[in-house]
Amino acid sequence: MAAADRADGRLPVSEGGRLLRKAFPDHWSFLLGEIALYGFVVLLLTGVWLTLFFQPSTTEVVYHGSYVPLQGVSMTQAYASTLEISFDVRGGLLMRQLHHWAAVVFLAAIGVHLLRVFFTGAFRRPREANWVIGVTLFVLALAEGFAGYSLPDDLLSGTGLRIAQGIMLSVPLVGTYLSMFAFGGEYPGEDLIPRLYALHILLLPGLLLALVALHLILVFHLKHTQWAGRGRTRRNVVGKPMFPQFAAGSSGLFLMVFGVLALLAGVAQINPVWAYGPYRADVVSTGSQPDWYMGFLEGALRLVPPWETVVAGHTVMWNVLLPAVVLPGALFAVLYAYPFFERWVTGDRGEQHLCDRPRDMPVRTGLGVAALCFYAVLLAAGGNDILAHVFDVSLNLLTWVFRVALVVLPPVAFMTTKRICLALRERDAERLAEGEETGRVRQTLAGGYTADHEPLDEERRYVLRSGRPPAPLALPERAGAAPPEREGGAREGGARGGAAPRVRRLRSALSSWYYGDLVDVEEDREPEPSAGGPGR
C-alpha cells in the first residue's frame, strides 16, 4: 500500500484504475472504427520497414537487378529501389503488399465507420467535433494514400501524377504556379517524388497520429454511443469494462485484422509495378485505374463534357476544374457542415447518446443512400473504358448512361429509401399495437379468418418505442414571435431583423420535411417507459 500511495502521489494511478473500468458497448457495428485503427497500426509498422530500403530520388539509373525483363532499362532510383524491395530484399514483396493492402482496408474502414456514424446519428451533440475530426482523418488518409501510391514512379502512378498536374493547371490564375511549385519546374520536374516522400512518412502520418489520439480522447471523455435497450439511457453506458474484457476482445480483433492483411499480402497480388515499367512522360498505360478511393475523382473527370471558356486570353477548363476541384470541395464541405445543418433544421440541442435506427430518420437515411448512389455512379464511371471493353458496348453510349444516372439515380434512391423507412416504421407501430404475427390463422364465429398475434417482449417494445423523433418546428405567426424551445431548453431562433421571419419560415419548412411524415405514425403510441438499470 505504501508503494501504491507513493506512486499515486506522482502518477495518475487511481485515475487510471477508474479508466480501466470504463464500459464499452458490445455491438459489431462499433468494431468498424477499431478495424480502421488497427489498419493504421499495420501501416505504420510496415511503412517504417519500407523506409529502410526505398530511395526517393528521380536520378536516372540503369537497372541491373533480378527482374530480367527490365535489365538494362533506364529508370529513376525510386522505381529501381521499389524493384529491389520486391525481388532482392528478403520478405520485401510481402511487406510491400501488406502495406498496400493495409492502406486499402484503412481507407475502407474509415469510410464505412463514417457511414455508421452518419446513419445512426452519432455525430449529434456533443460529438460534432469528433465528426469533424473523422472527416479530416478521411481527407488526410486520401492524401496519404495518393502520396504513397505515387512514390514508386512506375507508369501507372506516373499517369496519376500527370492527371494531378492537369488538375493544378485548371485552377484559374494560380494553376501554373501551383504546378511549378509542386514539381520543382516544368513537368515532370525532379522535386515531386522527394516532396511526396516527406509528406508520406513525416507530415501526414504525424497529423493522422495526432488526430487519431484526439479522436480517442474524445471518445473516452464523451462516452461511447449505444443502441437503445432496457437499462440504457442517455446518462449511462452499458457494456464490457475496458480491462480485461474489452481489451482482450480488441486485442483479438487486432490479431484478426493483421492475419487477414497478411493472408491477402501473401496470396492476392496488388500493384505489380514491374508489370507497368518505369514512368515516361510521353507514355500512358492502357486501361489505367487508380486505387478505389480515388476512383470517384477519375469518374467525375470522365463524365464532364469538354467545356472551356476563354476570359481575357485565359482558358478556364471547366471539364477539369468542376469535377476535380469544385466537386470534391463541395462534397467534403457538405460532410463537414451536415451535423450543424441538421441541428439548425431540427432544433435538437439536447445531448444524444443513443443511436438512431436508420428507419427512424427517413430523410437523413434517404440523403445518405442518395449520396452513396452518387458516389457509386462516379466510381463505376471511373472504369467506363474497362466496362465498355468487357461488355462490348459503345464507350460514348456508356458515358451518357452514367451521365444520366448521376442525375436521376440519387433522387430516386432518396425517395425510395424514405418510403421504405416510413413503411418499416408503420410496421413497427402495428407490431406495438397488435403484437407479432405467429403464423397461425383462426376462423371466427362469422366464418372469417384472422391472423393470430402474440405480444412483443418488453425489450423489443422498448426498442421500438425509443425511435420517437421530436415534432416539427412550429411556423411563426408573426415577425416578433418568440422562437420555440426544443429539447435541452435552448431557444431556437432565426436571424434578428427583417430577414428573421423568412429564415424561421425556411427553417420550419425544412423541419417539416425532416419530421412531418413521422407524426401520424407516432402519436398513438403508449408513453415511453422509464429506463431502468444502474448507470455504468
Side-chain angles (χ1 to χ4, degrees), residues 167-182 314:
I167 294 172
M168 295 177 193
L169 292 176
S170 72
V171 180
L173 300 178
V174 298
T176 304
Y177 299 100
L178 290 175
S179 175
M180 295 286 285
F181 172 77
H314 298 278

Side-chain angles (χ1 to χ4, degrees), residues 330-396:
L331 289 177
F332 283 106
V334 169
L335 285 176
Y336 278 116
Y338 183 82
F340 309 99
F341 171 76
E342 182 175 303
R343 185 179 65 184
W344 179 77
V345 168
T346 63
D348 187 1
R349 295 274 179 171
E351 291 192 359
Q352 305 292 341
H353 299 291
L354 296 178
C355 294
D356 288 333
R357 295 185 307 163
R359 70 181 66 180
D360 292 331
M361 295 294 293
V363 172
R364 181 203 296 154
T365 304
L367 290 174
V369 173
L372 284 176
C373 286
F374 187 83
Y375 176 83
V377 172
L378 292 181
L379 186 62
N384 61 351
D385 53 341
I386 304 296
L387 294 174
H389 174 72
V390 171
F391 295 102
D392 194 22
V393 297
S394 168
L395 177 61
N396 290 333

Side-chain angles (χ1 to χ4, degrees), residues 357-363 414-432 464 517-518 521-522 525:
R357 295 185 307 163
R359 70 181 66 180
D360 292 331
M361 295 294 293
V363 172
F414 170 79
M415 291 184 290
T416 304
T417 302
K418 182 180 177 181
R419 298 314 305 176
I420 291 175
C421 290
L422 290 174
L424 290 173
R425 287 177 55 79
E426 202 163 338
R427 172 60 179 154
D428 289 343
E430 292 178 359
R431 293 169 65 196
L432 277 171
L464 294 182
D517 293 333
L518 304 178
V521 175
E522 298 290 339
R525 286 194 181 176

Side-chain angles (χ1 to χ4, degrees), residues 16-224:
R18 288 192 294 271
L19 183 64
L20 293 179
R21 301 302 299 172
K22 185 176 180 63
F24 284 85
D26 187 18
H27 192 270
W28 67 266
S29 63
F30 299 144
L31 301 180
L32 297 170
E34 294 182 54
I35 293 174
L37 174 64
Y38 296 142
F40 183 54
V41 172
V42 175
L43 274 173
L44 292 177
L45 296 176
T46 54
V48 170
W49 189 92
L50 290 172
T51 58
L52 302 177
F53 303 96
F54 181 73
Q55 299 181 33
S57 173
T58 56
T59 303
E60 292 286 330
V61 297
V62 177
Y63 180 71
H64 296 290
S66 301
Y67 188 62
V68 176
L70 289 178
Q71 284 187 358
V73 176
S74 178
M75 60 185 66
T76 61
Q77 283 188 346
Y79 186 64
S81 64
T82 304
L83 294 177
E84 181 183 0
I85 293 172
S86 301
F87 295 107
D88 298 312
V89 176
R90 187 180 297 275
L93 181 58
L94 179 67
M95 297 297 285
R96 266 198 64 238
Q97 298 204 146
L98 180 58
H99 189 72
H100 203 120
W101 274 115
V104 171
V105 171
F106 173 56
L107 276 155
I110 291 179
V112 179
H113 178 60
L114 284 174
L115 288 176
R116 197 279 299 175
V117 172
F118 177 83
F119 283 117
T120 62
F123 55 80
R124 296 170 297 172
R125 182 181 178 186
R127 296 176 181 84
E128 300 96 334
N130 238 1
W131 170 263
V132 171
I133 292 172
V135 175
T136 305
L137 281 170
F138 190 60
V139 174
L140 292 176
L142 288 174
E144 176 78 340
F146 178 77
Y149 172 81
S150 304
L151 286 179
D153 202 29
D154 59 285
L155 186 57
L156 183 61
S157 65
T159 302
L161 288 177
R162 184 60 161 173
I163 295 174
Q165 194 241 1
I167 294 172
M168 295 177 193
L169 292 176
S170 72
V171 180
L173 300 178
V174 298
T176 304
Y177 299 100
L178 290 175
S179 175
M180 295 286 285
F181 172 77
F183 290 89
E186 292 290 343
Y187 182 85
E190 297 181 353
D191 296 338
L192 184 62
I193 297 297
R195 289 174 178 175
L196 285 178
Y197 185 68
L199 288 174
H200 187 68
I201 69 167
L202 291 176
L203 180 60
L204 292 177
L207 292 174
L208 286 169
L209 273 173
L211 289 179
V212 166
L214 181 58
H215 180 76
L216 294 177
I217 289 172
L218 288 179
V219 168
F220 272 77
H221 176 68
L222 299 174
K223 297 187 302 186
H224 205 292

